[in-house]
């Protein structure tokens, strides 16, 4: 058998902020509809109960005001580098996926100069000028896309090691008067990939990405607060939730199926689906439709680990975070063993979808 270069995960890390924000903390919130019509605060308990039923989110984590997205990313990166047991000077790439940069909690001003990747590289103390650091905005699928790009570089011989980070502080771009504000969270996750020459079919076996912009680019966007008397000069994250749900359920299973077919892997071979943690019901619907394509009636509970109930939706950070937690044995009922086949998948702003398949060495 001929040897080939594959990209393998050799280290992971994540940051889960300590501040817990429970659903009960939204009971006295003043919510408004997109047209500015107020919702009766007396209905908040019913609204929150429905929100929990649909999304599965009972609480989320928010970062302290003095901690930025790049701070979270740097901590997750240091953890991943330590786990990989490598000298950070040997990294050829630092790729940081995010959507909003470092956000001022008071004004909402977005700071992306220098890039978050440059800030992470600086905080890791990397002197090596050949270590290329750049940011990747790709919606919630940004971290998976960063891994796909890193894999391409490594397999092409354009480096040996890459650090891929997903970090976000969504709590600072949400409209407190929009019901969707209950979805979002903060966090960071990181991995170190290494190019390894091997005869065995291990590492990243295949990937696929898709963007549907013409009809779907505006499903997630920035807009003013729903509160009519709020300042008009500050923009917040807005979403057409029902349409995003429908798009995800309709497209993600197809992208995963096509990716597996191209990689020569069947769904029967897959041990775990590490999906973006956006909505529990959406993820369950995606898994159900995906299984149906392979004639599988149901899957073991261990196939799709979920963190959304306690951590909320931290965008690009969700997939690397759940991967790190499972890999470290911190999610009961879930583990990763040698030979396991993992599928990583995400969907989000753009609208973008991606997936990759990985066989553990």
């Amino acid at each position: 058998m001929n040897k080939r270069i594959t990209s393998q995960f050799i280290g992971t890390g994540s940051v889960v902020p300590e501040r817990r924000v429970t659903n009960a903390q939204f009971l006295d919130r003043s919510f408004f509809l997109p047209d500015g019509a107020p919702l009766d605060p007396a209905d908040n308990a019913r609204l929150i109960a429905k929100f929990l039923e649909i999304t599965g989110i009972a609480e989320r984590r928010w970062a302290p005001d003095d901690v930025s997205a790049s701070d979270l990313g740097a901590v997750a990166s240091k953890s991943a580098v330590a786990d990989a047991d490598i000298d950070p000077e040997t990294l050829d790439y630092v790729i940081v996926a995010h959507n909003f940069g470092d956000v001022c909690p008071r004004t909402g001003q977005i700071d992306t100069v220098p890039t978050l990747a440059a800030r992470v590289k600086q905080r890791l103390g990397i002197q090596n000028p050949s270590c290329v650091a750049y940011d990747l905005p790709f919606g919630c699928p940004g971290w998976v896309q960063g891994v796909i790009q890193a894999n391409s570089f490594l397999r092409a011989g354009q480096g040996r090691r890459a650090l891929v980070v997903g970090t976000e502080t969504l709590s600072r771009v949400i409209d407190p008067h929009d019901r969707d504000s209950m979805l979002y969270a903060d966090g960071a996750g990181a991995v170190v990939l290494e190019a390894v020459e091997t005869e065995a079919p291990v590492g990243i076996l295949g990937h696929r990405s898709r963007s549907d912009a013409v009809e779907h680019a505006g499903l997630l966007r920035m807009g003013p607060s729903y509160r009519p008397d709020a300042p008009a000069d500050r923009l917040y994250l807005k979403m057409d939730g029902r349409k995003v749900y429908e798009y995800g359920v309709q497209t993600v299973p197809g992208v995963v199926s096509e990716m597996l077919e191209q990689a020569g892997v069947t769904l029967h071979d897959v041990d775990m689906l590490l999906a973006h943690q956006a909505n529990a019901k959406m993820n369950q619907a995606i898994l159900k439709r995906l299984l149906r394509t392979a004639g599988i009636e149901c899957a073991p509970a261990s196939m799709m680990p979920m963190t959304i109930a306690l951590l909320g939706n931290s965008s690009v950070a969700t997939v690397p975070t759940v991967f790190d937690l499972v890999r470290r044995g911190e999610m009961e009922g879930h583990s990763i063993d040698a030979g396991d086949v993992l599928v990583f998948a995400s969907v989000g702003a753009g609208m973008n979808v991606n997936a990759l398949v990985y066989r553990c060495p």
Side-chain angles (χ1 to χ4, degrees), residues 36 164 234 259 275 314 337-338 360:
V164 184
R234 181 165 178 176
M259 181 268 302
S314 56
D337 300 309
C360 300

Side-chain angles (χ1 to χ4, degrees), residues 97-173:
H98 66 89
N99 297 292
F100 298 100
D102 284 350
V103 184
C104 174
R106 181 176 57 83
T107 65
Q109 182 173 352
I110 292 172
D111 177 6
T112 57
V113 180
T115 64
L116 268 61
R119 300 178 200 199
V120 169
K121 179 180 177 181
Q122 181 188 53
R123 289 167 194 171
L124 290 176
I126 299 174
Q127 298 284 345
N128 178 12
S130 296
C131 173
V132 177
Y134 69 90
D135 288 3
L136 177 58
F138 195 67
C140 293
W143 178 83
V144 175
Q145 197 67 23
V147 172
I148 289 171
Q149 290 188 0
N151 173 63
S152 297
F153 292 142
L154 300 186
R155 292 198 62 193
Q158 299 300 306
R160 183 186 173 207
R161 289 174 176 157
L163 172 69
V164 184
V165 187
T167 186
E168 204 73 84
T169 50
L170 293 182
S171 65
R172 297 172 191 175
V173 296

Side-chain angles (χ1 to χ4, degrees), residues 192-353:
V192 175
L193 288 121
E194 183 173 69
V196 179
E197 190 176 43
T198 178
E199 294 181 352
V202 294
I204 296 176
L205 305 180
H207 57 81
R208 180 166 172 74
S209 302
R210 167 177 174 163
S211 293
D212 294 288
V214 174
E215 297 180 2
H216 303 289
L219 296 188
L220 285 104
R221 60 196 177 278
M222 301 301 287
S225 173
Y226 286 164
R227 186 184 181 102
D229 60 352
D233 58 349
R234 181 165 178 176
L235 301 181
Y236 301 92
L237 178 61
K238 298 295 177 180
M239 177 178 66
D240 292 335
R242 168 46 82 179
K243 291 183 179 179
V244 170
Y245 178 97
E246 293 172 350
Y247 176 84
V249 173
Q250 290 169 2
T251 58
V252 174
V255 169
V256 172
S257 295
E258 292 169 8
M259 181 268 302
L260 290 174
E261 183 177 359
Q262 292 172 0
V265 179
T266 73
L267 194 57
H268 295 271
D269 300 320
V270 175
D271 297 286
M272 188 175 292
L273 173 59
L274 296 155
H276 170 48
Q277 306 289 298
N279 179 309
K281 184 171 283 189
M282 181 175 78
N283 279 9
Q284 291 160 359
I286 287 171
L287 179 60
K288 184 176 181 180
R289 181 171 289 199
L290 181 60
L291 294 174
R292 193 182 304 139
T293 65
I296 301 174
E297 289 295 324
C298 62
S302 60
M303 187 171 187
M304 182 184 278
M306 298 280 280
T307 59
I308 192 167
L310 300 179
L311 303 186
N313 175 0
S314 56
S315 185
V316 293
T318 68
V319 178
T321 296
V322 70
F323 179 40
D324 179 55
L325 294 177
V326 172
R327 189 170 174 269
R328 292 176 184 270
E330 296 183 17
M331 292 190 67
E332 186 176 354
H334 302 283
S335 62
I336 297 174
D337 300 309
D340 281 357
V341 174
L342 315 178
V343 168
F344 298 78
S346 189
V347 56
M351 291 293 291
N352 300 315
V353 178

